Amino acid sequence: MTKNTLSITDNRTGQTYEIPIEHDTINAMDLRQIKVNPGDFGMMSYDPAFKNTASTKSTITYIDGGKGILRYRGYPIEQLAEKSNYLEVAYLILFGELPTKAQYDQWEYDILHHTFVHENIKQLMHVFRHDAHPMGMFIATVAAMSTFYPEGRDIMNEAERLKQIQRLIAKVPTVAAFSYRHSRGLPYVYPDNDLSYTGNFLNMLDKMTEVKYKPNPVLERALDVLFILHADHEQNCGTAAMRVIGSSHTDPYTAMAGAAAALYGPLHGGANEAVLRMLLEIGDVKHVPEFIKGVKNRERLLMGFGHRVYKNYDPRAKIIKQIADQVFAETGRNPLLDIALELERIALEDDFFVQRNLYPNVDFYSGIIYQAMRFPIAMFPVLFAIPRTVGWLAQWVEMLKDPDQKIARPRQIYLGPDVRDYVPMEARG
Ligand code: SDX
């Protein structure tokens, strides 16, 4: 009868250990029994960047990187993108089930009636430089929101938690839109709760002198689908930051500011901005071969390609490519698409990329759509952070409720100097 264990023999001592296997994984703490001397600390595993370390058990999002599969609570991303909307997907990600009509109507009402921010928040945003990066404004303002809702520190109170979660999901489009209007030197536009979640976001971005803003339904739907695609992605860098910061039991606004800060990096959610700047730099399809040569010479990365988990085409990139046609029918075709398609064509054929499983990821095509919708490039990471808010919050709640979890505190392998005495200044070489 096969045993569900790993037999490890420590050849330093000849001792053998039986380590239980659960979910095709061993518990790292079971390694600590492996010692040479009884007083030893015991064995650890070394895994910089957590390439092969499960930090949690989760029931929220499933990714199969080899097959290019993404599911939220078991529902394939392709079906949700086609049949659902962002607020419904947010409910699913948070509560684990698709809402009934009554549940959805209440959820939508609750979210759409928390869209205003305190006037002091608006005044606070006014002090940023006129050319402040919207993502910097977004991160700072989300952190500042913790000072407006001190009750958010009562994180073990389910009702309080839900109130802060609804506030964050409802207010991030307002904060994002305010940061956009600030960067354009335009007056901020207040929410219009007659509109949908995404329609209201477009209203706060674009409304000028018209009495009632009417969102373009094609662009409203395209952006809503993009929000669905960006809602959660299991233990990515930003979510890991949310969990690590949240594990110290700080409030959700402070933890989310840290998650958004991690997302901002060009290797993560800031890649959509970096992709657009890369395409603009390439400028023309005829420059693509030269650019690819630079990538293969390790002079730079092909932004929007590659993924720690997907070693196949990112399913979200496939859907985004389909949305592009619908958006361009309204906005006119973005000529940068030709450069992107040529980069993809070469990358999918060239051994350098094929051997490294480098496929387009979610950030490769999203920026081309955002630019066609007239978003400034600097807004792109903010457009990622808005929908990812629900993912961060769902993962944060799961972490708080998980009996296995404690404050996150990784170990290290110390390779520094051994003990030594202080040397007075005059005796230093
Ligand atoms: C997101 O984790 C998530 O789920 C994130 C995300 C989410 O929804 O939260 O999906 C969103 O962040 C998508 C990724 C966006 N980032 C980019 O597009 C930036 C460009 N991509 C790379 O920086 C990179 O591919 C990462 C960061 C995405 C993944 O890096 P890994 O897993 O650490 O892979 P690696 O750096 O070990 O690369 C393996 C090899 C290396 O070559 P060798 O040293 O083995 O010869 O592939 C090369 C890398 O140099 N490589 C690239 C490359 N990505 C990896 N070479 C050129 N261009 C690239 N984009």
Side-chain angles (χ1 to χ4, degrees), residues 93-114:
I93 287 173
L94 264 180
F95 302 110
E97 297 297 336
L98 288 169
T100 62
K101 171 116 180 49
Q103 287 169 332
Y104 179 77
D105 291 346
Q106 185 60 56
W107 172 249
E108 186 184 48
Y109 179 88
D110 290 339
I111 296 297
L112 294 184
H113 289 79
H114 277 88

Side-chain angles (χ1 to χ4, degrees), residues 233 267-268 298 302 304-305 307-308 316 356 361 388:
H233 213 240
L267 295 186
H268 192 12
R298 309 315 181 88
L302 180 55
F305 271 71
H307 199 277
R308 174 65 53 77
R316 300 168 296 177
R356 292 170 175 79
N361 58 47
R388 186 53 60 89

Side-chain angles (χ1 to χ4, degrees), residues 49 51 63 229-230 232-239 263 265-272 274-275 295-296 298 300-311 314 316 352-353 356-359 361-364 384 388:
K51 292 188 293 293
I63 301 173
L229 299 176
H230 286 82
D232 190 55
H233 213 240
E234 56 133 286
Q235 307 310 313
N236 58 82
C237 182
T239 299
L263 184 76
L267 295 186
H268 192 12
N272 52 19
V275 166
V295 172
K296 291 165 73 171
R298 309 315 181 88
R300 57 199 309 163
L301 291 173
L302 180 55
M303 300 312 278
F305 271 71
H307 199 277
R308 174 65 53 77
V309 176
Y310 289 124
K311 299 311 172 192
D314 184 330
R316 300 168 296 177
F352 175 89
F353 301 95
R356 292 170 175 79
N357 295 307
L358 301 180
Y359 291 89
N361 58 47
V362 68
D363 291 306
F364 187 58
F384 198 141
R388 186 53 60 89

Side-chain angles (χ1 to χ4, degrees), residues 22-326:
E22 185 194 36
H23 306 296
D24 204 14
T25 308
I26 61 166
N27 188 316
M29 284 305 288
D30 288 339
L31 297 173
R32 288 281 293 282
Q33 62 186 301
I34 302 174
K35 301 180 181 183
V36 175
N37 306 303
D40 288 353
F41 178 78
M43 188 159 287
M44 294 192 297
S45 63
Y46 174 58
D47 188 11
F50 315 117
K51 292 188 293 293
N52 192 43
T53 293
S55 62
T56 187
K57 295 172 181 171
S58 181
T59 61
I60 299 172
T61 294
Y62 173 72
I63 301 173
D64 180 322
K67 297 185 186 130
I69 289 172
L70 168 58
R71 299 180 197 136
Y72 295 154
R73 302 286 189 178
Y75 292 96
I77 193 68
E78 294 79 6
Q79 291 186 28
L80 293 172
E82 184 195 340
K83 299 173 179 165
S84 188
N85 67 55
Y86 174 72
L87 274 192
E88 183 178 73
V89 167
Y91 186 99
L92 170 68
I93 287 173
L94 264 180
F95 302 110
E97 297 297 336
L98 288 169
T100 62
K101 171 116 180 49
Q103 287 169 332
Y104 179 77
D105 291 346
Q106 185 60 56
W107 172 249
E108 186 184 48
Y109 179 88
D110 290 339
I111 296 297
L112 294 184
H113 289 79
H114 277 88
T115 50
F116 275 72
V117 295
H118 193 291
E119 280 295 291
N120 287 162
I121 288 179
K122 200 183 83 172
Q123 288 149 11
L124 176 141
M125 294 184 77
H126 273 305
V127 299
F128 285 107
R129 275 176 57 104
H130 66 90
D131 58 354
H133 194 294
M135 194 60 175
M137 293 177 69
F138 179 87
I139 293 163
T141 305
V142 168
M145 285 169 74
S146 67
T147 65
F148 287 80
Y149 307 110
E151 66 276 20
R153 298 171 68 91
D154 188 6
I155 59 173
M156 290 310 181
N157 176 328
E158 191 124 11
E160 275 303 339
R161 250 195 338 242
L162 180 58
K163 201 194 300 176
Q164 312 318 320
I165 287 169
Q166 288 175 334
R167 278 175 169 151
L168 272 162
I169 293 171
K171 296 177 195 305
V172 286
T174 309
V175 171
F178 283 8
S179 66
Y180 166 77
R181 299 286 287 200
H182 183 89
S183 67
R184 300 288 307 278
L186 292 170
Y188 297 2
V189 173
Y190 285 103
D192 175 350
N193 294 341
D194 294 341
L195 299 172
S196 72
Y197 183 81
T198 309
N200 177 37
F201 177 51
L202 291 172
N203 159 61
M204 295 186 287
L205 289 167
D206 289 341
K207 186 171 183 293
M208 297 306 273
T209 57
E210 65 273 38
V211 173
K212 185 87 173 163
Y213 177 83
K214 286 188 179 50
N216 175 317
V218 174
L219 302 185
E220 180 181 3
R221 175 64 190 159
L223 193 56
D224 201 66
V225 173
L226 283 159
F227 281 0
I228 290 172
L229 299 176
H230 286 82
D232 190 55
H233 213 240
E234 56 133 286
Q235 307 310 313
N236 58 82
C237 182
T239 299
M242 183 80 185
R243 281 176 168 262
V244 166
I245 299 168
S247 74
S248 74
H249 285 188
T250 187
D251 67 271
Y253 301 94
T254 307
M256 193 179 123
L263 184 76
Y264 191 8
L267 295 186
H268 192 12
N272 52 19
E273 177 180 353
V275 166
L276 239 291
R277 298 191 192 284
M278 172 185 77
L279 295 176
L280 290 168
E281 181 196 333
I282 293 171
D284 187 294
V285 172
K286 65 177 183 287
H287 300 145
V288 166
E290 187 61 24
F291 181 85
I292 290 286
K293 203 158 75 180
V295 172
K296 291 165 73 171
N297 291 337
R298 309 315 181 88
E299 291 154 20
R300 57 199 309 163
L301 291 173
L302 180 55
M303 300 312 278
F305 271 71
H307 199 277
R308 174 65 53 77
V309 176
Y310 289 124
K311 299 311 172 192
N312 198 324
Y313 213 103
D314 184 330
R316 300 168 296 177
K318 272 186 200 155
I319 298 168
I320 291 173
K321 240 173 126 179
Q322 292 157 11
I323 296 172
D325 297 340
Q326 298 155 23

